Amino acid sequence: MSRRHASRAPPRWWHRLERTSPAAWRRHELHCEASVTPTEPEIERAPGALTILLGCDTFSPDINGAARFAERLAAGLVQRGHEVHVSAPNTAWRHVPARTEVIEGEPLIMHRLPSVKLWWHEWLRFVWPWRAKHWARRVLDEVRPDVVHIQSHIVIGRGLARIARKRGIPVIATNHVMPENILDFTRLPDALNRVFVKLAWADARRTFQLTAAVTTPTQKAADFLEKTIDVAGVLPVSCGIDMSQYTPDLEPRTENRIVFVGRLTSEKQVDVILRAVAKLDPALDVHLELVGDGDQRPSLEKLADELAIRDRITFHGHTTDEVLRGALTRASVFAIASIAELQSIATMEAMASGLPIVAADAVALPHLVHEGENGYLFAPGDVDGLAERLTTVLTASAEDRGRMQRASLRMVEAHDITRTLDTFEALYRGEPIPA
C-alpha cells in the first residue's frame, strides 16, 4: 500500500462504515484489495537479514510480561541486523502511517492499529476482532515480511496467522496466556467465564494449527498448553534476560527488605504477600517494596491500613528501569505469590540481581525456584507458609544467604537473551534449533 494512500484522512463515510456489520467490512476490504498495489519495502536490508513482522496484542507503552518480552525480542533482532516491524494497538481509535519508534534503544517500524480501551481496565486496549483480518492484509501488503511471529492468538495475532498462512508466509506463535490472565478482565459470572475460557482455547487451537512452530517460555508452560488444547510439539523458549543490565550486591544486608515487581492485579495475589508481612516477627523490622501498578492498588493500600503495616510498605507504582533495578539491588529477598506465570520475567530480573526467591509453587515458578537452592516455594495462597519461608531467608546466616544468591545468578544464566535470539532466528529460517 502506498504511503500516500495510507496517510490520507478518511472520508466522512468511513466513520459511518466503522459501525456497520462485519459483512459490510469484508465487501469494503475486497474493493480496497482490488484497487491497491503494494509497494516494495523502503528500507535496505543487510545481506542475509530478514524482514520480520511481530504481531502483538500488547506492546509499549503497556507494562506487562508479554509486552516486555516482545520489546526485548524486537530490539535484539534489530541489533542483529534484521528489519523488524511491529503490528500493535494504537493508544487511540485511529490508524497512523507506519513510523519508526525507539524501543529498548533500537529503532522499530511500528504499525499502530485503531484500538478501543477496555473501560474498566487500567491499560488494556484491543482491535475490534472483526477488523483483525482487514488490518492483517494492510500491514502484510506494506511490510511483505519473510516471517510473521505472533505474540498471542487473541486478535492481532489471530488475523495475521490466517492471512499470512493463505499467502504462504511462515508463522511462528508464542503463547503468553493463562486462563487467569483472561478472567481478570472479563467481569463475567463464573459460569460464563468457564464458557468464555473454553471458547478462547478452542480458537487458540485453530490459530496454532496454522503455524510452523509454537513456543512458550518454559517446559511446564509447554506441557500445560499441549494438555489444554491438544497441540503437539510446543517448544519451550525462555523469554530471555540481559544479565548485564542488573547489579547484584552480594554483601550482607543491614536491613530486611522484601521486594515484589509486577502488575498489581488479582492473579498476582499481592494481598497474600501483605498478609504474610503482617505475620512476620516485628523484631525483623521488615520493609516491603511493591514496584508496579494495577487495578488492585487501592484495595491493597486499604488492606495495608487494616493490617497496620502501611508505614512499612512503599508503593512505587509505574517507575523507571533505574528505580526498579535499584529496588532489586538493595532488597534482601524477592517474593511472588502469583498463580498465573508462564515464566515470570520479574523473577528472572530478581535472580539476575542476585536475590533469593520465595515463590508460589504454581505453574512455571518452580522452574525458576529450586527448593533450598536459590530460595523456597510455598503452597499458593498459604499466608502462613509464605511468612515461614520469608523468615527462613531473612534469618539465614551470611553463608547460607550467599549460597542462595550465587545459585540465583548461576541458574539465570540459562535464560541469557542470546540463546533466545539464536533460537528464534533458527525458527524464522526453518533451520535446526541450536543446542
Side-chain angles (χ1 to χ4, degrees), residues 200-211:
W201 281 127
D203 191 62
R205 183 173 183 269
R206 289 190 291 269
T207 299
F208 292 149
Q209 287 176 333
L210 301 173
T211 66

Side-chain angles (χ1 to χ4, degrees), residues 256 258 269-282 284 286 288 307 309 312 333-337 357-360 376-396:
N256 290 322
I258 302 169
Q269 298 205 355
V270 183
D271 62 299
V272 174
I273 300 177
L274 267 62
R275 296 180 191 280
V277 168
K279 287 179 172 289
L280 297 177
D281 187 342
L284 290 175
V286 168
L288 172 64
L307 296 172
I309 58 172
R312 292 192 279 145
V333 59
F334 180 83
I336 179 168
I357 312 295
V358 177
Y376 298 95
L377 298 167
F378 65 96
D382 184 357
V383 173
D384 291 333
L386 172 55
E388 179 182 347
R389 293 308 200 184
L390 289 172
T391 299
T392 299
V393 174
L394 295 172
T395 59

Side-chain angles (χ1 to χ4, degrees), residues 7 18 52-53 59 84 119 125 127 137 161 190-191 227 243 254 267 270 277 283 289 301 319 322 334 356 366-367:
S7 61
E18 290 285 357
I52 302 164
L53 173 61
F59 197 76
V84 179
W119 60 90
R125 305 186 65 88
V127 174
R137 293 183 184 96
D190 288 344
K227 179 180 178 181
M243 292 183 63
T254 58
E267 84 272 11
V270 183
V277 168
E289 296 190 56
E301 290 177 335
T319 188
E322 288 73 21
F334 180 83
H367 179 78

Side-chain angles (χ1 to χ4, degrees), residues 255-258 274 277-278 282 285-290 300-315:
E255 55 185 358
N256 290 322
R257 287 185 173 271
I258 302 169
L274 267 62
V277 168
D285 192 22
V286 168
H287 192 89
L288 172 64
E289 296 190 56
L290 301 177
L300 291 172
E301 290 177 335
K302 180 180 179 181
L303 177 61
D305 289 332
E306 293 172 356
L307 296 172
I309 58 172
R310 185 64 181 83
D311 61 333
R312 292 192 279 145
I313 301 178
T314 298
F315 287 85

Side-chain angles (χ1 to χ4, degrees), residues 333-390:
V333 59
F334 180 83
I336 179 168
S338 176
I339 58 170
E341 299 294 330
L342 289 184
Q343 182 162 48
S344 180
I345 292 175
T347 301
M348 292 194 296
E349 290 178 322
M351 293 167 68
S353 302
L355 291 183
I357 312 295
V358 177
D361 188 3
V363 197
L365 290 176
H367 179 78
L368 296 173
V369 183
H370 295 182
E371 183 76 10
E373 187 174 348
N374 71 321
Y376 298 95
L377 298 167
F378 65 96
D382 184 357
V383 173
D384 291 333
L386 172 55
E388 179 182 347
R389 293 308 200 184
L390 289 172

Side-chain angles (χ1 to χ4, degrees), residues 65-96:
R68 293 292 287 151
F69 165 71
E71 293 158 22
R72 292 170 178 175
L73 173 66
L77 292 168
V78 170
Q79 289 171 359
R80 293 188 173 205
H82 301 292
E83 178 186 325
V84 179
H85 296 251
V86 179
S87 181
N90 197 4
T91 54
W93 178 255
R94 67 175 180 272
H95 176 240
V96 296

Side-chain angles (χ1 to χ4, degrees), residues 164-245:
R165 173 65 178 265
K166 288 181 179 179
R167 298 185 179 188
I169 302 170
V171 180
I172 307 298
T174 294
N175 180 60
H176 300 279
V177 178
M178 284 284 290
E180 289 81 2
N181 304 137
I182 301 173
L183 299 184
D184 194 40
F185 306 143
T186 66
R187 290 193 172 184
L188 295 173
D190 288 344
L192 290 180
N193 269 333
R194 289 191 292 271
V195 174
F196 179 85
V197 169
K198 183 178 180 180
L199 293 174
W201 281 127
D203 191 62
R205 183 173 183 269
R206 289 190 291 269
T207 299
F208 292 149
Q209 287 176 333
L210 301 173
T211 66
V214 179
T215 78
T216 195
T218 65
Q219 184 61 60
K220 287 181 179 293
D223 294 341
F224 166 83
L225 190 59
E226 290 183 350
K227 179 180 178 181
T228 301
I229 63 173
D230 191 27
V231 61
V234 178
L235 301 172
V237 182
S238 174
C239 290
I241 189 169
D242 183 354
M243 292 183 63
S244 68
Q245 299 297 309

